[in-house]
Amino acid sequence: MENFKLMQIIPSMNSGGVEKGTIDVSTYLSENNYINYIASSGGQLLNFINDNRTKHIKLPINSKNFFRYPFIANKLQKNINHFGINIVHVRSRSPAWLLPFISRKNIFTVSTFHNVYGNNNLIKYYYNKQMGNVDSIVAISNYVKKEIIKQYSIDEKKITVINRGCDTDFFNSENVKKDQIQNFLLNYKKFKDKRLILFPGRLTSWKGQLEFLEVVENFKENDLLFVFVGDGKNKSFKNKLLNKIKEKNLNNFCYVTDHMNYDHLRTMYYLSTIIISAPLKPEGFGRIISESLSMKKIVLAYNFGGAKDQLNDLNNIYKIEPHNKEILINRIKKVLEFSQEEYLNLSNDSRSYVCKFFSKENMLSKYFDLYLKL
């Protein structure tokens, strides 16, 4: 087996799907006895690295001051030389702009496009296009691959599609214990004896929570509760959502809560009858879809972007024409009328599908193969 030394470069390691993917790759390499490196400004997720095999290099990668980049790159270069790094993997756009200041001699460069970034002006276009100036590119979905080829004229041969991987061992309904559910319901007493319809996603305008309230207005059964859960750092939008719920007189049917940790989110999936994914614009992947399906739950998702990739070979009941609220309303009604047997037959097949094509193990083995190939 060939040897390689990988350095992943990412602005920070506080939270998020990109950061978690970075940890997943480093853990996989550590478990396979590969010493590897992460360069970042630091963050709480570094508590999860394998200290024996994964080394963290703390640098102000999160700096938005372009004039500092040559100095940051110089420090990176010293570490690359010192540790014998031969693959540099930039995980987002700002680290990609460090590459022009780093010697490419004896190293291969990789970038991952985690989304189709907006390029509505020339500056953004060139800022985003820098992600393509590497030896090999990873796109997290076929949708992202098609879009970056179209938008940035990237050579298709440079691109490998590696879907974001779902931790199917963790997101497994059989692994949710009774005491976890009881403790959870002690904190969220409003959920007890309710059929929950969950809308997970960062509380921000493009995720579609405000527009979804028009759907909620069609359901006023006493045993139904619509739950919005996601990062609430955008306080102005969160207040806007709460005010709109009040204005529409939906307080008894809606519940808004900030970001949950993974244990609580898994319990939330477990307790829910339906999961909703209805963003206003297509997402690069949309991990809640795989997570929901892995938990044997029915997810109703706008069928575009990375969501379409995940739902492609599944039952059409999951697929909602984007922005068509009437279809979404009718589909919710239909699922709520399912017998337990109908529900389980559908969701069991869906979990098997995710385990086969969208698991974390699948993602990691593909990254490993890519690094070996380089």
Side-chain angles (χ1 to χ4, degrees):
M1 187 177 289
E2 293 182 43
N3 191 26
F4 62 83
K5 282 191 177 178
L6 171 74
M7 175 189 283
Q8 298 182 85
I9 307 177
I10 187 166
S12 66
M13 291 297 295
N14 286 315
S15 65
V18 179
E19 292 80 358
K20 191 173 184 305
T22 302
I23 291 291
D24 287 339
V25 168
S26 75
T27 301
Y28 182 87
L29 294 178
S30 297
E31 289 172 351
N32 284 278
N33 295 318
Y34 278 79
I35 294 174
N36 62 96
Y37 302 82
I38 296 173
S40 80
S41 62
Q44 60 190 4
L45 286 180
L46 291 174
N47 294 326
F48 297 97
I49 68 170
N50 181 318
D51 290 329
N52 293 323
R53 293 280 173 183
T54 301
K55 314 296 179 186
H56 180 246
I57 299 162
K58 188 170 184 178
L59 290 170
I61 309 290
N62 60 341
S63 174
K64 300 200 189 280
N65 184 348
F66 193 83
F67 294 105
R68 294 186 69 189
Y69 284 16
F71 303 100
I72 299 168
N74 182 52
K75 290 179 180 178
L76 270 176
Q77 184 75 66
K78 288 176 180 176
N79 282 283
I80 289 168
N81 296 342
H82 178 72
F83 294 115
I85 306 296
N86 50 26
I87 300 178
V88 171
H89 186 166
V90 292
R91 285 287 191 165
S92 65
R93 290 169 290 176
S94 57
W97 278 100
L98 296 169
L99 294 180
F101 307 104
I102 292 172
S103 170
R104 302 285 188 97
K105 188 179 179 181
N106 299 324
I107 65 168
F108 291 96
T109 54
V110 184
S111 68
T112 297
F113 273 83
H114 292 276
N115 212 330
V116 179
Y117 308 110
N119 58 357
N120 49 358
N121 62 58
L122 204 56
I123 294 172
K124 279 194 173 181
Y125 171 81
Y126 280 107
Y127 180 67
N128 299 339
K129 191 175 181 180
Q130 176 61 20
M131 289 275 283
N133 293 329
V134 291
D135 298 309
S136 185
I137 296 166
V138 174
I140 66 166
S141 64
N142 285 307
Y143 163 71
V144 169
K145 177 183 175 180
K146 289 173 188 172
E147 287 297 313
I148 63 176
I149 290 171
K150 182 170 71 177
Q151 292 189 27
Y152 305 112
S153 303
I154 292 171
D155 182 0
E156 183 176 358
K157 293 175 185 175
K158 289 172 65 173
I159 305 172
T160 302
V161 175
I162 302 179
N163 298 123
R164 222 176 233 179
C166 174
D167 189 339
T168 53
D169 289 330
F170 180 80
F171 288 106
N172 183 346
S173 57
E174 293 178 9
N175 292 338
V176 182
K177 308 301 181 191
K178 284 185 179 179
D179 61 329
Q180 289 177 306
I181 298 167
Q182 289 168 351
N183 290 334
F184 184 83
L185 290 175
L186 285 174
N187 292 321
Y188 296 95
K189 292 176 182 174
K190 195 170 182 178
F191 297 170
K192 195 173 182 183
D193 300 323
K194 296 284 187 181
R195 287 186 296 169
L196 303 177
I197 296 178
L198 179 65
F199 194 125
R202 194 163 71 252
L203 299 180
T204 188
S205 59
W206 71 269
K207 284 287 188 177
Q209 291 96 339
L210 281 174
E211 289 71 17
F212 184 68
L213 292 180
E214 295 173 28
V215 172
V216 178
E217 286 180 300
N218 292 270
F219 299 90
K220 294 194 176 178
E221 292 88 341
N222 288 330
D223 67 334
L224 271 185
L225 185 65
F226 293 83
V227 181
F228 299 89
V229 56
D231 190 330
K233 289 177 186 173
N234 187 341
K235 293 207 171 10
S236 66
F237 178 80
K238 182 181 177 182
N239 289 333
K240 190 174 182 181
L241 177 61
L242 290 168
N243 288 335
K244 185 61 74 171
I245 288 169
K246 187 177 180 180
E247 180 185 310
K248 289 178 175 290
N249 198 26
L250 295 172
N251 282 328
N252 292 332
F253 307 100
C254 293
Y255 186 89
V256 180
T257 183
D258 282 357
H259 179 73
M260 288 182 175
N261 64 38
Y262 275 101
D263 285 325
H264 284 175
L265 181 61
R266 180 176 65 174
T267 306
M268 194 73 247
Y269 283 141
Y270 181 89
L271 293 170
S272 299
T273 302
I274 299 171
I275 319 294
I276 301 293
S277 174
L280 302 187
K281 59 184 180 181
E283 295 186 85
F285 187 70
R287 62 185 171 82
I288 69 159
I289 293 167
S290 290
E291 290 173 356
S292 303
L293 296 173
S294 184
M295 288 291 291
K296 296 185 179 180
K297 294 297 171 178
I298 290 179
V299 58
L300 302 180
Y302 283 167
N303 194 29
F304 59 3
K308 189 171 186 177
D309 287 1
Q310 295 174 76
L311 298 173
N312 192 40
D313 294 323
L314 290 175
N315 191 294
N316 285 334
I317 197 161
Y318 297 112
K319 306 166 190 175
I320 309 297
E321 181 185 328
H323 312 301
N324 193 322
K325 296 184 182 70
E326 187 177 343
I327 292 177
L328 183 53
I329 291 164
N330 290 334
R331 205 67 58 82
I332 291 171
K333 288 178 179 177
K334 184 174 182 178
V335 174
L336 290 175
E337 291 171 357
F338 273 2
S339 67
Q340 188 175 12
E341 184 181 8
E342 286 176 306
Y343 194 103
L344 287 175
N345 285 341
L346 194 60
S347 56
N348 282 336
D349 289 343
S350 302
R351 173 170 166 80
S352 299
Y353 174 77
V354 171
C355 290
K356 185 175 181 180
F357 296 107
F358 295 98
S359 69
K360 183 173 75 171
E361 289 75 18
N362 199 20
M363 174 191 77
L364 293 172
S365 65
K366 286 183 178 180
Y367 266 117
F368 189 67
D369 289 345
L370 174 66
Y371 295 145
L372 283 179
K373 182 181 171 184
L374 288 174

